[in-house]
Amino acid sequence: MPTSPLSSAQAARKAVAARLQGLMKDAGLSGHELAIRCGWHRAKSSRIARGITPPSDADIRAWCIACGAEDQAVDIIAASRNAESMYVEWKQIHKDGMRRVHEKTVPLYQRTRSFRVYASNVMPGMLQTAGYATGLLGTITAFQGTPDDVADAVKARLDRSRVVREGDHRFALLLEETVLYYRVCDDEAMGEQLDHLLTIMKRPNVSLGIIPRRASRTVWPLEAFYAFDDQQVAVETLTAEINLTTPGEIRTYLRAFTELSQSAVRGEPARDLIREALTALG
C-alpha cells in the first residue's frame, strides 16, 4: 500500500544532494574549500550537501564549475527542478490566487485520456458545480490566507472541467460516501452539486463509484489523489500538492485505486446513496 508521498519528494531531493556531494569528493574538495570557490559561507555548502537547503539553478552551476564538472550542471539542474516540483506547498501554488493554477493545468487535463480519481474529502474538481466550487475555494482561500480571486478561479475550474464533456477522455471516479455529506457550501449549492452527480453519472465516459461508510474494505481511507493516465499521480495533502512520476509509485497508487474500487457501489445503489444525502439536506 502507498507509503507517504512526502518521503518520495524527500528522497528525490537527497539524490540531488548526493550527486553534488559526489562531485565535491571527486574534485578532492572539502565543504569549506568549495564554499570559498563559490563565494559562499561554508554553512551553505554543508546544508546543500546534506539535502537541508534545496540548491537554486545558480547554486548548482557554481558548484559544478568549482568542481570542474560544468558538463553535469544541466542534468543536475533538471533533476533538482523535478525534485522541487514533486512537493509544492499550496501557499506557494496559490501565492497569486487560484486562477492561474487551474489555467496552468489545462494542457495536462486535455492530453490525459484516462483519469482515475479517488476523493475522500471533497468532490473531485472536474465534477464540481459553480456553487460548490465557490464555497470550497472561498474556504481554502481564507484558511491559507492567499489572495482572493475565487470568482475567477471558479470560472477557470469550470472551463478546465469541459474535458468531461469534450474530447476523448474517460473518467473512473471513486468517492467515499462521507463526501456526499461534508458541507463546504450552503445547502442550496450542496443540493445542486448532488443533483449534478446524478446527471453526470449518465455520461458514457464517466464511471462513478461510491464507497459506502459500512463497506468492507482492504484499503483504508487515503488522501485524495488524481491519476493522469499512467504518467503522473497528484496527491493532495493539507499543506501541499505532491506529484509522483516514478513508475513504481504510480503502480502502487493505481493498485490502491483498484482495491478501493472493489468496495464501491455503482449504478442504482450509488444513486440511492446520493438520493439519501439529498434527503438529509431537508
Side-chain angles (χ1 to χ4, degrees):
M1 290 300 96
T3 57
S4 167
L6 175 56
S7 65
S8 301
Q10 292 171 331
R13 288 177 174 174
K14 287 186 178 298
V16 171
R19 290 185 66 178
L20 293 173
Q21 191 172 44
L23 291 181
M24 183 177 68
K25 290 182 178 179
D26 290 344
L29 298 175
S30 67
H32 180 59
E33 290 168 334
L34 184 136
I36 291 174
R37 290 193 181 189
C38 294
W40 300 336
H41 188 280
R42 63 180 300 175
K44 178 174 180 176
S45 57
S46 175
R47 291 179 65 84
I48 290 176
R50 289 185 291 154
I52 298 174
T53 299
S56 66
D57 292 359
D59 291 338
I60 293 172
R61 291 191 189 96
W63 191 295
C64 290
I65 290 171
C67 296
E70 296 177 57
D71 60 323
Q72 296 193 44
V74 172
D75 185 47
I76 297 176
I77 286 172
S80 179
R81 288 180 179 178
N82 180 64
E84 291 310 302
S85 67
M86 288 178 66
Y87 182 93
V88 187
E89 292 188 354
W90 290 118
K91 282 192 174 182
Q92 176 64 24
I93 296 174
H94 298 153
K95 65 180 180 179
D96 299 318
M98 294 186 180
R99 174 181 62 83
R100 287 187 180 181
V101 69
H102 288 87
E103 294 174 343
K104 183 179 179 181
T105 52
V106 166
L108 171 61
Y109 277 63
Q110 290 179 336
R111 68 174 178 265
T112 298
R113 290 294 169 262
S114 175
F115 292 80
R116 277 160 287 190
V117 179
Y118 167 74
S120 55
N121 43 22
V122 297
M123 299 287 174
M126 69 275 293
L127 297 187
Q128 291 175 14
T129 60
Y132 186 95
T134 298
L136 175 62
L137 298 187
T139 300
I140 292 172
T141 295
F143 184 81
Q144 294 178 348
T146 47
D148 184 348
D149 67 342
V150 170
D152 290 338
V154 169
K155 182 180 182 303
R157 173 164 288 194
L158 296 180
D159 287 344
R160 188 182 65 180
S161 299
R162 290 167 61 183
V163 294
V164 178
R165 305 183 303 277
E166 301 175 359
D168 180 22
H169 309 280
R170 300 182 308 279
F171 298 84
L173 308 161
L174 292 176
L175 309 183
E176 295 285 350
E177 184 186 356
T178 49
V179 172
L180 306 177
Y181 292 88
Y182 292 145
R183 307 291 179 85
V184 299
C185 56
D186 61 39
D187 286 359
E188 181 180 359
M190 193 68 191
E192 291 173 352
Q193 176 66 66
L194 294 172
D195 279 331
H196 180 62
L197 284 187
L198 291 171
T199 299
I200 207 75
M201 289 175 68
K202 300 175 184 178
R203 294 194 60 85
N205 63 327
V206 174
S207 171
L208 178 63
I210 298 175
I211 304 174
R213 287 172 289 186
R214 299 186 57 138
S216 296
R217 53 200 307 157
T218 58
V219 178
W220 56 97
L222 303 173
E223 62 279 342
F225 63 85
Y226 290 66
F228 302 92
D229 290 321
D230 297 332
Q231 305 301 311
Q232 177 179 334
V233 173
V235 183
E236 298 182 343
T237 72
L238 174 64
T239 57
E241 177 181 75
I242 303 172
N243 290 289
L244 306 175
T245 57
T246 57
E249 289 178 308
I250 291 173
R251 284 194 299 270
T252 300
Y253 271 89
L254 294 184
R255 176 190 166 199
F257 185 87
T258 297
E259 295 203 21
L260 286 163
S261 295
Q262 295 172 3
S263 300
V265 297
R266 295 173 177 78
E268 199 58 30
R271 292 186 184 91
D272 287 342
L273 291 177
I274 296 171
R275 294 185 188 110
E276 287 177 17
L278 273 166
T279 300
L281 284 173

